Short mmCIF file of all heavy atoms in Angstrom, two decimals:
data_model
loop_
_atom_site.label_atom_id
_atom_site.label_comp_id
_atom_site.label_asym_id
_atom_site.label_seq_id
_atom_site.Cartn_x
_atom_site.Cartn_y
_atom_site.Cartn_z
N ILE A 79 32.87 7.14 12.46
CA ILE A 79 32.28 7.81 13.62
C ILE A 79 32.78 7.17 14.91
O ILE A 79 32.82 5.95 15.04
CB ILE A 79 30.73 7.72 13.57
CG1 ILE A 79 30.20 8.23 12.23
CG2 ILE A 79 30.11 8.50 14.73
CD1 ILE A 79 28.71 8.03 12.04
N LYS A 80 33.12 8.02 15.84
CA LYS A 80 33.43 7.58 17.21
C LYS A 80 32.44 8.29 18.12
O LYS A 80 32.34 9.53 18.11
CB LYS A 80 34.87 7.93 17.58
CG LYS A 80 35.92 7.19 16.76
CD LYS A 80 37.33 7.60 17.18
CE LYS A 80 38.39 6.75 16.46
NZ LYS A 80 38.33 6.92 14.98
N ALA A 81 31.71 7.51 18.92
CA ALA A 81 30.66 8.09 19.75
C ALA A 81 30.63 7.43 21.11
O ALA A 81 31.05 6.27 21.27
CB ALA A 81 29.31 7.93 19.06
N GLU A 82 30.13 8.17 22.10
CA GLU A 82 29.94 7.62 23.44
C GLU A 82 28.55 7.96 23.93
O GLU A 82 28.09 9.10 23.82
CB GLU A 82 30.98 8.17 24.41
CG GLU A 82 30.81 7.58 25.81
CD GLU A 82 31.98 7.83 26.74
OE1 GLU A 82 33.02 8.34 26.27
OE2 GLU A 82 31.88 7.49 27.95
N LEU A 83 27.89 6.93 24.44
CA LEU A 83 26.55 7.07 25.01
C LEU A 83 26.68 7.24 26.52
O LEU A 83 27.23 6.37 27.21
CB LEU A 83 25.71 5.84 24.69
CG LEU A 83 24.36 5.69 25.40
CD1 LEU A 83 23.42 6.80 24.97
CD2 LEU A 83 23.74 4.33 25.09
N SER A 89 22.68 11.20 26.86
CA SER A 89 23.24 12.07 25.82
C SER A 89 24.29 11.32 25.02
O SER A 89 24.78 10.26 25.44
CB SER A 89 23.86 13.32 26.45
OG SER A 89 24.98 12.98 27.24
N ILE A 90 24.63 11.88 23.87
CA ILE A 90 25.66 11.31 23.00
C ILE A 90 26.67 12.40 22.66
O ILE A 90 26.30 13.52 22.32
CB ILE A 90 25.05 10.73 21.72
CG1 ILE A 90 24.27 9.44 22.04
CG2 ILE A 90 26.12 10.44 20.67
CD1 ILE A 90 23.56 8.84 20.84
N THR A 91 27.93 12.05 22.77
CA THR A 91 29.01 12.93 22.34
C THR A 91 29.79 12.17 21.26
O THR A 91 30.11 10.99 21.44
CB THR A 91 29.95 13.27 23.51
OG1 THR A 91 29.18 13.90 24.54
CG2 THR A 91 31.06 14.21 23.06
N ALA A 92 30.07 12.86 20.15
CA ALA A 92 30.65 12.11 19.03
C ALA A 92 31.49 13.00 18.12
O ALA A 92 31.40 14.23 18.16
CB ALA A 92 29.54 11.45 18.22
N THR A 93 32.32 12.34 17.33
CA THR A 93 33.07 12.99 16.27
C THR A 93 33.01 12.10 15.03
O THR A 93 32.95 10.87 15.15
CB THR A 93 34.52 13.25 16.68
OG1 THR A 93 35.19 13.93 15.62
CG2 THR A 93 35.26 11.96 16.97
N GLU A 94 32.98 12.69 13.87
CA GLU A 94 32.91 11.92 12.64
C GLU A 94 33.82 12.52 11.58
O GLU A 94 34.05 13.74 11.55
CB GLU A 94 31.47 11.87 12.10
CG GLU A 94 30.93 13.21 11.65
CD GLU A 94 29.50 13.15 11.13
OE1 GLU A 94 28.95 12.03 11.00
OE2 GLU A 94 28.91 14.22 10.87
N LYS A 157 24.57 20.33 19.34
CA LYS A 157 25.56 21.33 19.76
C LYS A 157 26.83 21.02 18.94
O LYS A 157 27.59 20.10 19.27
CB LYS A 157 25.85 21.22 21.25
CG LYS A 157 24.60 21.40 22.14
CD LYS A 157 24.04 22.81 22.01
CE LYS A 157 22.87 23.01 22.97
NZ LYS A 157 21.68 22.20 22.58
N SER A 159 30.42 21.60 17.91
CA SER A 159 31.58 22.25 18.53
C SER A 159 32.72 22.48 17.56
O SER A 159 33.59 23.33 17.81
CB SER A 159 32.08 21.41 19.71
OG SER A 159 32.39 20.09 19.31
N ALA A 160 32.73 21.75 16.43
CA ALA A 160 33.83 21.95 15.48
C ALA A 160 33.45 21.38 14.12
O ALA A 160 32.78 20.34 14.03
CB ALA A 160 35.11 21.28 15.97
N GLN A 195 35.68 16.95 9.22
CA GLN A 195 35.43 16.39 10.55
C GLN A 195 34.41 17.26 11.26
O GLN A 195 34.50 18.49 11.24
CB GLN A 195 36.72 16.36 11.37
CG GLN A 195 36.52 15.86 12.80
CD GLN A 195 37.82 15.87 13.61
OE1 GLN A 195 38.88 15.53 13.08
NE2 GLN A 195 37.74 16.29 14.87
N VAL A 196 33.42 16.61 11.88
CA VAL A 196 32.40 17.32 12.64
C VAL A 196 32.37 16.74 14.06
O VAL A 196 32.31 15.52 14.23
CB VAL A 196 31.01 17.19 11.99
CG1 VAL A 196 29.98 17.99 12.77
CG2 VAL A 196 31.04 17.64 10.53
N ASP A 197 32.42 17.61 15.04
CA ASP A 197 32.28 17.22 16.45
C ASP A 197 30.95 17.75 16.97
O ASP A 197 30.60 18.92 16.72
CB ASP A 197 33.42 17.79 17.30
CG ASP A 197 34.79 17.29 16.86
OD1 ASP A 197 34.85 16.26 16.16
OD2 ASP A 197 35.79 17.94 17.20
N TRP A 198 30.23 16.94 17.71
CA TRP A 198 28.92 17.37 18.20
C TRP A 198 28.49 16.56 19.41
O TRP A 198 29.10 15.53 19.74
CB TRP A 198 27.87 17.21 17.09
CG TRP A 198 27.37 15.81 16.90
CD1 TRP A 198 26.22 15.28 17.39
CD2 TRP A 198 28.01 14.74 16.17
NE1 TRP A 198 26.10 13.96 17.02
CE2 TRP A 198 27.17 13.61 16.27
CE3 TRP A 198 29.21 14.64 15.45
CZ2 TRP A 198 27.50 12.40 15.68
CZ3 TRP A 198 29.53 13.43 14.85
CH2 TRP A 198 28.68 12.33 14.97
N LYS A 199 27.43 17.03 20.03
CA LYS A 199 26.76 16.28 21.10
C LYS A 199 25.30 16.70 21.12
O LYS A 199 24.92 17.75 20.57
CB LYS A 199 27.42 16.53 22.45
CG LYS A 199 27.33 17.96 22.96
CD LYS A 199 28.01 18.08 24.32
CE LYS A 199 27.95 19.53 24.84
NZ LYS A 199 28.60 19.65 26.16
N PHE A 200 24.48 15.88 21.75
CA PHE A 200 23.06 16.23 21.88
C PHE A 200 22.43 15.39 22.97
O PHE A 200 22.93 14.32 23.33
CB PHE A 200 22.31 16.03 20.56
CG PHE A 200 22.14 14.58 20.15
CD1 PHE A 200 20.98 13.89 20.43
CD2 PHE A 200 23.16 13.91 19.47
CE1 PHE A 200 20.82 12.56 20.04
CE2 PHE A 200 23.01 12.59 19.08
CZ PHE A 200 21.84 11.92 19.37
N TRP A 230 20.94 10.64 14.29
CA TRP A 230 21.72 11.04 15.45
C TRP A 230 23.06 11.68 15.09
O TRP A 230 23.76 12.18 15.98
CB TRP A 230 21.97 9.81 16.35
CG TRP A 230 22.77 8.73 15.69
CD1 TRP A 230 22.33 7.82 14.80
CD2 TRP A 230 24.16 8.45 15.88
NE1 TRP A 230 23.35 6.97 14.40
CE2 TRP A 230 24.49 7.34 15.06
CE3 TRP A 230 25.17 9.02 16.68
CZ2 TRP A 230 25.76 6.80 15.01
CZ3 TRP A 230 26.43 8.48 16.63
CH2 TRP A 230 26.72 7.38 15.80
N PHE A 231 23.43 11.68 13.81
CA PHE A 231 24.71 12.27 13.43
C PHE A 231 24.49 13.21 12.25
O PHE A 231 23.61 13.00 11.42
CB PHE A 231 25.72 11.17 13.06
CG PHE A 231 25.27 10.29 11.91
CD1 PHE A 231 25.71 10.52 10.61
CD2 PHE A 231 24.42 9.21 12.14
CE1 PHE A 231 25.30 9.71 9.56
CE2 PHE A 231 24.01 8.38 11.09
CZ PHE A 231 24.45 8.64 9.81
N PRO A 232 25.26 14.30 12.17
CA PRO A 232 25.18 15.15 10.98
C PRO A 232 25.53 14.33 9.74
O PRO A 232 26.60 13.70 9.68
CB PRO A 232 26.24 16.23 11.26
CG PRO A 232 26.35 16.26 12.75
CD PRO A 232 26.19 14.83 13.18
N LEU A 263 31.53 2.55 12.82
CA LEU A 263 31.15 3.16 14.09
C LEU A 263 31.87 2.46 15.23
O LEU A 263 31.82 1.23 15.34
CB LEU A 263 29.63 3.05 14.32
CG LEU A 263 29.15 3.42 15.72
CD1 LEU A 263 29.37 4.91 16.01
CD2 LEU A 263 27.68 3.04 15.93
N ALA A 264 32.51 3.25 16.07
CA ALA A 264 33.06 2.75 17.34
C ALA A 264 32.23 3.40 18.44
O ALA A 264 32.37 4.59 18.72
CB ALA A 264 34.53 3.13 17.46
N LEU A 265 31.34 2.61 19.05
CA LEU A 265 30.39 3.14 20.03
C LEU A 265 30.76 2.66 21.43
O LEU A 265 30.78 1.46 21.69
CB LEU A 265 28.97 2.69 19.67
CG LEU A 265 27.87 3.11 20.66
CD1 LEU A 265 27.71 4.63 20.68
CD2 LEU A 265 26.55 2.44 20.30
#
Side-chain angles (χ1 to χ4, degrees):
I79 307 173
K80 295 179 174 62
E82 181 167 352
L83 170 65
S89 66
I90 289 177
T91 302
T93 182
E94 66 181 354
K157 302 295 184 292
S159 56
Q195 177 181 320
V196 183
D197 298 342
W198 79 98
K199 64 180 179 180
F200 69 97
W230 63 282
F231 59 98
L263 170 66
L265 177 65

